[in-house]
């Protein structure tokens, strides 16, 4: 989705200070590394679940019939 978040977890374990705007060069470096790894390994990125319903408490779509 293009969303980027950057945290320095050694100093901010709760991830309360988002640093991507202050460190665009680091964001680019890490994104480039991720894309290189992705290309090298053929790894798949997760895809959104089309049955996900944020309005349901569990987030799940309709239940399957009981067996």
């Amino acid at each position: 989705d293009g969303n980027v978040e950057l945290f320095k977890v050694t100093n901010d374990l709760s991830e309360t200070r988002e640093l991507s705007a202050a460190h665009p060069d680091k964001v680019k470096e890490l994104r480039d590394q991720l894309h290189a790894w992705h290309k090298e390994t053929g790894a798949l990125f997760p895809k959104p679940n089309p049955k996900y319903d944020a309005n349901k408490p569990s987030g799940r779509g309709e239940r399957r019939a009981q067996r």
Side-chain angles (χ1 to χ4, degrees):
D1 68 358
N3 185 39
V4 174
E5 294 180 339
L6 180 67
F7 300 95
K8 187 169 184 177
V9 294
T10 55
N11 298 336
D12 182 18
L13 289 176
S14 299
E15 296 182 352
T16 57
R17 292 185 303 269
E18 206 287 306
L19 304 170
S20 63
H23 299 282
D25 292 342
K26 181 53 96 173
V27 169
K28 181 179 180 337
E29 174 190 343
L30 292 171
R31 182 174 283 175
D32 290 348
Q33 287 178 8
L34 176 62
H35 289 299
W37 171 82
H38 177 251
K39 185 176 182 179
E40 177 183 323
T41 63
L44 302 175
F45 283 106
K47 295 181 181 178
N49 180 351
K51 293 183 179 180
Y52 175 76
D53 184 347
N55 297 315
K56 295 196 178 211
S58 69
R60 297 180 181 188
E62 294 182 32
R63 301 187 104 196
R64 288 189 271 176
Q66 295 286 335
R67 292 182 181 199

